[in-house]
Amino acid sequence: MKSQSDFIPSVTKPYKTWSDKKLSAEAVKIQTAMTDNPDFPAPVPSIADYSTAVGAFIAQLGKAGTRDLNAVAAKNARRKELIASTITLGTSVSLTANGNLEMLLSTSFPLRRQPQPVVLAKPGNFRCTNGINPSELDLKVDTMDGDVSFNLSYTVYPPTQQSAWTTVTSSKSSGTITGLEPGKKYWFRVAAIGSKG
């Protein structure tokens, strides 16, 4: 399992899913951010070549507004060229930056987002009822959203710093504790464990 510190920022490639309007706007942002960017003195393709691809697409996008079949076909061809050029430039940027977030942010390229830890709520509404057998107790908490398992722990009452806790792990929000001694008091606790531990 990777930790937060293992995350390496990089450029993503969502361009094919973008509308023509979004592609043109984002390409202009990238073009502006990359022009004379000191962190990327020799990108591939060059900023001049990338600017040509951006300009050609925007010009053809305006012509395609007439819905002329030839103009739309030409716009689609320029779109494909711009996407290919943006992907190549993004790869060049990622290689040059080598995970340096500050450098990547200076380019206006879309970046892969760092996964955020999910903070689980405390398990709620703990219930303890007699089990089927005399030496059993059924423990239950309210269900929780997501991929959650539960650690149901118990020790002899009263708990101290030296108490030995026995834990039963359950994929459900309930579990049965067995092997208890009749007449003894026990102390219980429950913890919710997310899919990433």
XYZ file of all heavy atoms in Angstrom, residues 96-165:
543
model
N 10.725 16.469 -17.607
C 11.612 17.545 -17.161
C 11.390 17.859 -15.683
O 12.340 18.024 -14.922
C 11.406 18.821 -18.003
O 11.627 18.501 -19.371
C 12.340 19.930 -17.578
N 10.130 17.926 -15.258
C 9.811 18.282 -13.869
C 10.186 17.166 -12.899
O 10.509 17.437 -11.739
C 8.334 18.610 -13.738
N 10.126 15.934 -13.357
C 10.512 14.784 -12.533
C 9.846 14.819 -11.153
O 10.491 14.637 -10.125
C 12.031 14.706 -12.406
C 12.497 13.369 -11.860
O 11.806 12.364 -12.019
N 13.646 13.359 -11.221
N 8.534 15.097 -11.132
C 7.782 15.091 -9.879
C 7.800 16.385 -9.099
O 7.202 16.464 -8.033
N 8.483 17.425 -9.606
C 8.552 18.707 -8.903
C 7.213 19.424 -9.068
O 6.899 19.942 -10.139
C 9.698 19.545 -9.469
C 9.882 20.866 -8.736
O 8.913 21.562 -8.424
N 11.118 21.213 -8.473
N 6.418 19.462 -8.004
C 5.071 20.025 -8.065
C 5.084 21.507 -8.431
O 4.249 21.961 -9.219
C 4.347 19.812 -6.731
C 2.900 20.299 -6.665
C 2.048 19.616 -7.731
C 2.324 20.058 -5.282
N 6.020 22.261 -7.905
C 6.090 23.695 -8.201
C 6.295 23.922 -9.699
O 5.653 24.785 -10.304
C 7.213 24.336 -7.401
C 7.259 25.846 -7.516
C 8.347 26.465 -6.649
O 9.142 25.736 -6.027
O 8.391 27.704 -6.608
N 7.188 23.143 -10.302
C 7.422 23.271 -11.741
C 6.165 22.891 -12.530
O 5.770 23.586 -13.472
C 8.595 22.374 -12.179
C 9.953 22.880 -11.742
S 11.294 21.716 -12.109
C 11.328 21.756 -13.901
N 5.529 21.798 -12.134
C 4.334 21.342 -12.851
C 3.195 22.352 -12.761
O 2.485 22.587 -13.735
C 3.889 19.979 -12.314
C 4.785 18.804 -12.671
C 4.391 17.568 -11.883
C 4.742 18.519 -14.159
N 3.027 22.950 -11.583
C 1.955 23.935 -11.419
C 2.167 25.167 -12.301
O 1.205 25.828 -12.687
C 1.844 24.356 -9.955
C 1.254 23.306 -9.005
C 1.386 23.758 -7.557
C -0.197 23.028 -9.351
N 3.417 25.462 -12.642
C 3.710 26.646 -13.457
C 3.307 26.460 -14.921
O 3.358 27.405 -15.696
C 5.200 26.994 -13.376
O 5.979 26.082 -14.141
N 2.875 25.257 -15.306
C 2.582 24.964 -16.717
C 1.109 25.061 -17.083
O 0.775 25.077 -18.261
C 3.043 23.546 -17.077
O 2.235 22.599 -16.361
C 4.506 23.342 -16.763
N 0.220 25.057 -16.125
C -1.236 25.034 -16.320
C -1.755 23.715 -16.896
O -2.901 23.622 -17.308
C -1.714 26.201 -17.197
O -1.577 27.407 -16.487
N -0.903 22.684 -16.940
C -1.381 21.371 -17.354
C -2.248 20.791 -16.238
O -2.011 21.055 -15.058
C -0.200 20.421 -17.613
C 0.323 20.454 -19.012
C 1.414 21.241 -19.341
C -0.274 19.700 -20.006
C 1.914 21.280 -20.626
C 0.211 19.727 -21.304
C 1.312 20.513 -21.614
N -3.243 19.972 -16.590
C -4.011 19.295 -15.543
C -3.124 18.248 -14.877
O -2.373 17.543 -15.561
C -5.172 18.637 -16.308
C -4.669 18.483 -17.708
C -3.716 19.626 -17.943
N -3.179 18.183 -13.570
C -2.317 17.277 -12.822
C -3.121 16.195 -12.129
O -4.279 16.413 -11.752
C -1.507 18.044 -11.774
C -0.622 19.175 -12.283
C 0.105 19.837 -11.121
C 0.363 18.690 -13.324
N -2.480 15.052 -11.966
C -3.083 13.963 -11.216
C -3.205 14.441 -9.781
O -2.257 14.968 -9.206
C -2.185 12.726 -11.304
C -2.745 11.506 -10.607
C -1.984 10.254 -11.005
N -0.592 10.303 -10.637
C -0.057 9.621 -9.626
N -0.800 8.850 -8.882
N 1.227 9.707 -9.369
N -4.363 14.261 -9.203
C -4.599 14.731 -7.842
C -4.059 13.739 -6.828
O -4.154 12.537 -7.010
C -6.090 14.926 -7.594
C -6.643 16.076 -8.377
C -8.057 16.363 -7.997
N -8.549 17.466 -8.795
C -9.814 17.746 -8.952
N -10.731 17.022 -8.376
N -10.177 18.773 -9.688
N -3.520 14.300 -5.772
C -3.020 13.454 -4.701
C -4.203 12.856 -3.964
O -5.131 13.561 -3.583
C -2.164 14.258 -3.731
C -1.571 13.405 -2.639
C -0.517 14.152 -1.837
O -0.300 15.334 -2.038
N 0.122 13.461 -0.927
N -4.200 11.529 -3.801
C -5.308 10.925 -3.069
C -5.357 11.452 -1.645
O -4.328 11.546 -0.984
C -5.001 9.426 -3.097
C -3.602 9.285 -3.581
C -3.184 10.579 -4.207
N -6.542 11.806 -1.226
C -6.713 12.349 0.117
C -7.149 11.238 1.063
O -7.956 10.386 0.696
C -7.764 13.467 0.117
C -7.374 14.657 -0.728
C -6.095 15.308 -0.234
O -5.925 15.560 0.946
N -5.174 15.570 -1.145
N -6.618 11.245 2.277
C -7.047 10.209 3.220
C -8.516 10.394 3.570
O -9.008 11.522 3.645
C -6.156 10.455 4.441
C -5.708 11.865 4.321
C -5.684 12.188 2.847
N -9.185 9.286 3.737
C -10.595 9.327 4.121
C -10.651 9.173 5.634
O -10.119 8.218 6.189
C -11.379 8.189 3.439
C -12.816 8.169 3.920
C -11.305 8.325 1.930
N -11.266 10.132 6.271
C -11.391 10.074 7.721
C -12.745 9.463 8.042
O -13.792 9.985 7.649
C -11.264 11.482 8.351
C -11.450 11.408 9.853
C -9.925 12.100 7.990
N -12.702 8.332 8.710
C -13.943 7.655 9.074
C -14.528 8.273 10.333
O -13.797 8.702 11.224
C -13.675 6.171 9.332
C -13.162 5.346 8.155
C -12.840 3.933 8.619
C -14.180 5.314 7.049
N -15.838 8.272 10.383
C -16.514 8.715 11.601
C -16.346 7.633 12.666
O -16.026 6.484 12.358
C -17.992 8.952 11.317
N -16.560 8.002 13.897
C -16.508 7.011 14.967
C -17.699 6.065 14.810
O -18.801 6.505 14.465
C -16.579 7.695 16.326
C -15.359 8.499 16.677
C -15.530 9.138 18.051
C -14.320 9.994 18.391
N -14.479 10.674 19.673
N -17.484 4.783 15.057
C -18.625 3.866 15.034
C -19.641 4.309 16.089
O -19.271 4.712 17.195
C -18.016 2.504 15.395
C -16.550 2.652 15.128
C -16.224 4.097 15.346
N -20.902 4.270 15.733
C -21.918 4.782 16.644
C -22.935 3.730 17.060
O -23.079 2.677 16.443
N -23.634 4.036 18.115
C -24.738 3.230 18.624
C -24.293 1.800 18.960
O -24.855 0.820 18.485
C -25.897 3.227 17.614
C -27.192 2.768 18.241
O -27.354 2.749 19.453
N -28.131 2.385 17.383
N -23.266 1.691 19.786
C -22.735 0.381 20.195
C -23.772 -0.358 21.038
O -24.345 0.201 21.970
C -21.438 0.587 20.986
C -20.845 -0.690 21.493
C -20.148 -1.530 20.640
C -20.998 -1.058 22.821
C -19.595 -2.714 21.109
C -20.445 -2.236 23.294
C -19.746 -3.068 22.437
N -24.011 -1.641 20.679
C -24.965 -2.461 21.424
C -24.330 -3.805 21.765
O -23.599 -4.372 20.955
C -26.228 -2.687 20.585
C -27.027 -1.424 20.488
C -27.863 -1.122 19.278
N -27.795 -1.753 18.008
C -27.265 -1.186 16.917
N -26.673 -0.022 16.979
N -27.320 -1.778 15.757
N -24.641 -4.278 22.939
C -24.128 -5.567 23.404
C -25.323 -6.370 23.943
O -26.039 -5.903 24.836
C -23.091 -5.331 24.503
S -22.413 -6.832 25.216
N -25.552 -7.544 23.358
C -26.676 -8.382 23.792
C -26.176 -9.804 24.028
O -25.120 -10.205 23.535
C -27.805 -8.393 22.742
O -27.261 -8.843 21.492
C -28.414 -7.009 22.559
N -26.954 -10.572 24.779
C -26.604 -11.962 25.036
C -26.601 -12.743 23.735
O -27.481 -12.576 22.879
C -27.586 -12.600 26.023
C -27.419 -12.044 27.422
O -26.310 -11.711 27.826
N -28.517 -11.942 28.153
N -25.626 -13.634 23.610
C -25.561 -14.505 22.445
C -26.437 -15.723 22.617
O -27.154 -15.861 23.615
N -26.354 -16.647 21.689
C -27.163 -17.864 21.747
C -26.725 -18.751 22.907
O -27.532 -19.333 23.611
C -27.055 -18.629 20.404
C -27.653 -17.790 19.282
C -27.737 -19.980 20.483
C -27.444 -18.360 17.903
N -25.408 -18.829 23.111
C -24.860 -19.667 24.180
C -24.506 -18.825 25.404
O -24.251 -17.623 25.278
C -23.633 -20.415 23.669
C -23.985 -21.322 22.501
O -24.925 -22.095 22.590
N -23.235 -21.212 21.417
N -24.401 -19.436 26.578
C -24.116 -18.685 27.810
C -22.783 -17.946 27.787
O -22.633 -16.931 28.444
C -24.129 -19.760 28.905
C -24.896 -20.900 28.339
C -24.706 -20.845 26.854
N -21.790 -18.422 27.049
C -20.462 -17.787 27.072
C -20.257 -16.835 25.892
O -19.126 -16.523 25.528
C -19.381 -18.867 27.061
O -19.498 -19.642 25.876
N -21.353 -16.364 25.284
C -21.259 -15.517 24.091
C -21.987 -14.188 24.293
O -22.999 -14.123 24.984
C -21.875 -16.217 22.873
C -21.157 -17.465 22.439
C -21.831 -18.130 21.251
O -22.943 -17.726 20.861
O -21.222 -19.077 20.732
N -21.455 -13.157 23.642
C -22.134 -11.858 23.564
C -22.098 -11.392 22.109
O -21.094 -11.567 21.418
C -21.449 -10.820 24.456
C -21.639 -10.962 25.953
C -20.798 -9.923 26.690
C -23.112 -10.809 26.332
N -23.198 -10.820 21.668
C -23.265 -10.253 20.315
C -23.032 -8.751 20.412
O -23.705 -8.057 21.189
C -24.635 -10.519 19.675
C -24.866 -11.997 19.378
O -23.872 -12.698 19.085
O -26.029 -12.442 19.452
N -22.053 -8.255 19.647
C -21.737 -6.826 19.617
C -22.175 -6.262 18.282
O -22.027 -6.912 17.235
C -20.236 -6.610 19.808
C -19.593 -7.261 21.031
C -18.107 -6.931 21.078
C -20.279 -6.815 22.310
N -22.687 -5.035 18.289
C -23.171 -4.426 17.050
C -23.021 -2.916 17.131
O -23.196 -2.331 18.192
C -24.637 -4.804 16.816
C -25.204 -4.312 15.500
C -26.540 -4.971 15.217
C -27.171 -4.525 13.936
N -26.366 -4.646 12.752
N -22.673 -2.299 15.994
C -22.674 -0.840 15.836
C -23.442 -0.529 14.562
O -23.723 -1.425 13.754
C -21.241 -0.256 15.750
C -20.508 -0.429 17.062
C -20.463 -0.846 14.607
N -23.770 0.729 14.359
C -24.447 1.118 13.124
C -23.531 0.882 11.924
O -22.301 1.021 12.035
C -24.854 2.601 13.172
C -26.006 2.843 14.131
O -26.694 1.865 14.515
O -26.214 4.009 14.512
N -24.128 0.548 10.786
C -23.339 0.350 9.569
C -22.747 1.676 9.120
O -23.241 2.751 9.479
C -24.200 -0.231 8.438
O -25.285 0.654 8.189
C -24.725 -1.607 8.787
N -21.671 1.594 8.334
C -20.991 2.794 7.848
C -20.813 2.686 6.346
O -20.700 1.580 5.799
C -19.631 2.938 8.537
C -19.747 3.082 10.049
S -18.156 3.105 10.892
C -17.540 4.699 10.393
N -20.774 3.831 5.676
C -20.564 3.853 4.233
C -19.138 3.474 3.884
O -18.208 3.743 4.647
C -20.857 5.257 3.662
C -22.334 5.607 3.756
O -23.163 4.677 3.777
O -22.653 6.814 3.800
N -18.966 2.887 2.713
C -17.627 2.583 2.228
C -17.193 1.171 2.570
O -17.933 0.373 3.150
N -15.964 0.879 2.199
C -15.362 -0.432 2.433
C -14.743 -0.418 3.826
O -13.602 -0.008 4.013
C -14.308 -0.695 1.352
C -13.756 -2.099 1.405
O -14.337 -2.939 2.118
O -12.744 -2.364 0.735
N -15.523 -0.838 4.816
C -15.126 -0.723 6.216
C -15.205 -2.091 6.886
O -16.147 -2.845 6.669
C -16.049 0.271 6.973
C -15.657 0.400 8.425
C -16.042 1.624 6.298
N -14.201 -2.403 7.691
C -14.277 -3.576 8.562
C -14.218 -3.066 10.005
O -13.940 -1.883 10.247
C -13.144 -4.557 8.265
O -11.890 -3.954 8.515
N -14.474 -3.959 10.928
C -14.552 -3.535 12.332
C -13.692 -4.436 13.203
O -13.671 -5.651 13.026
C -16.004 -3.584 12.817
C -16.896 -2.623 12.094
C -17.520 -2.980 10.910
C -17.098 -1.339 12.578
C -18.334 -2.092 10.228
C -17.909 -0.444 11.912
C -18.530 -0.815 10.721
N -12.972 -3.819 14.129
C -12.239 -4.545 15.159
C -13.048 -4.440 16.443
O -13.224 -3.338 16.985
C -10.844 -3.961 15.369
C -9.871 -4.382 14.299
O -10.171 -5.233 13.472
N -8.692 -3.787 14.309
N -13.552 -5.569 16.903
C -14.307 -5.627 18.145
C -13.369 -6.206 19.199
O -12.904 -7.341 19.071
C -15.535 -6.523 17.974
C -16.440 -6.167 16.775
C -17.413 -7.287 16.489
C -17.159 -4.859 17.028
N -13.050 -5.419 20.217
C -12.066 -5.839 21.218
C -12.698 -5.894 22.599
O -13.638 -5.160 22.901
C -10.894 -4.849 21.247
O -10.305 -4.744 19.974
N -12.135 -6.777 23.434
C -12.631 -6.875 24.801
C -11.498 -7.256 25.750
O -10.482 -7.824 25.350
C -13.780 -7.884 24.908
C -13.377 -9.313 24.633
C -13.056 -10.174 25.682
C -13.326 -9.813 23.335
C -12.685 -11.489 25.452
C -12.964 -11.120 23.085
C -12.637 -11.959 24.144
O -12.272 -13.256 23.913
N -11.696 -6.909 27.006
C -10.776 -7.274 28.079
C -11.578 -7.402 29.362
O -12.744 -6.967 29.424
C -9.640 -6.240 28.229
O -8.637 -6.769 29.087
C -10.142 -4.914 28.780
N -10.959 -7.959 30.368
C -11.630 -8.113 31.667
C -11.773 -6.733 32.312
O -10.876 -5.894 32.226
C -10.818 -9.073 32.579
C -11.442 -9.163 33.964
C -10.730 -10.450 31.942
N -12.924 -6.499 32.957
C -13.215 -5.226 33.637
C -12.527 -5.210 34.997
O -12.504 -6.234 35.672
C -14.728 -5.079 33.792
C -15.149 -3.775 34.406
C -15.306 -2.647 33.623
C -15.364 -3.672 35.780
C -15.689 -1.448 34.198
C -15.736 -2.480 36.352
C -15.900 -1.360 35.551
O -16.270 -0.173 36.112
N -11.960 -4.109 35.440
C -11.813 -2.817 34.759
C -10.544 -2.808 33.895
O -9.545 -3.423 34.260
C -11.685 -1.824 35.913
C -11.013 -2.608 36.994
C -11.496 -4.031 36.840
N -10.572 -2.110 32.767
C -9.381 -2.064 31.921
C -8.287 -1.204 32.560
O -8.583 -0.210 33.215
C -9.882 -1.428 30.624
C -11.091 -0.653 31.021
C -11.688 -1.368 32.200
N -7.049 -1.630 32.391
C -5.900 -0.875 32.896
C -4.887 -0.734 31.760
O -5.084 -1.265 30.658
C -5.230 -1.608 34.072
O -4.657 -2.832 33.583
C -6.213 -1.891 35.184
N -3.783 -0.030 32.018
C -2.724 0.117 31.022
C -2.138 -1.248 30.641
O -1.653 -1.450 29.546
C -1.604 1.025 31.548
C -2.015 2.462 31.746
C -2.211 3.184 30.426
O -1.734 2.765 29.389
N -2.956 4.278 30.473
N -2.179 -2.195 31.559
C -1.589 -3.511 31.317
C -2.605 -4.532 30.797
O -2.251 -5.686 30.560
C -0.969 -4.065 32.615
C 0.263 -3.317 33.102
C -0.061 -1.961 33.721
O -1.093 -1.811 34.360
N 0.796 -0.989 33.499
N -3.842 -4.137 30.594
C -4.870 -5.074 30.140
C -4.509 -5.675 28.789
O -4.013 -4.982 27.895
C -6.226 -4.367 30.022
O -6.706 -3.992 31.280
N -4.766 -6.958 28.658
C -4.576 -7.651 27.375
C -5.913 -7.635 26.640
O -6.916 -8.152 27.145
C -4.108 -9.078 27.618
N -5.928 -7.024 25.471
C -7.159 -6.916 24.688
C -7.196 -8.041 23.663
O -6.226 -8.293 22.956
C -7.233 -5.571 23.979
C -7.485 -4.416 24.915
C -6.563 -3.720 25.621
C -8.747 -3.862 25.243
N -7.163 -2.750 26.372
C -8.520 -2.806 26.162
C -10.052 -4.133 24.858
C -9.537 -2.043 26.686
C -11.071 -3.359 25.391
C -10.823 -2.334 26.298
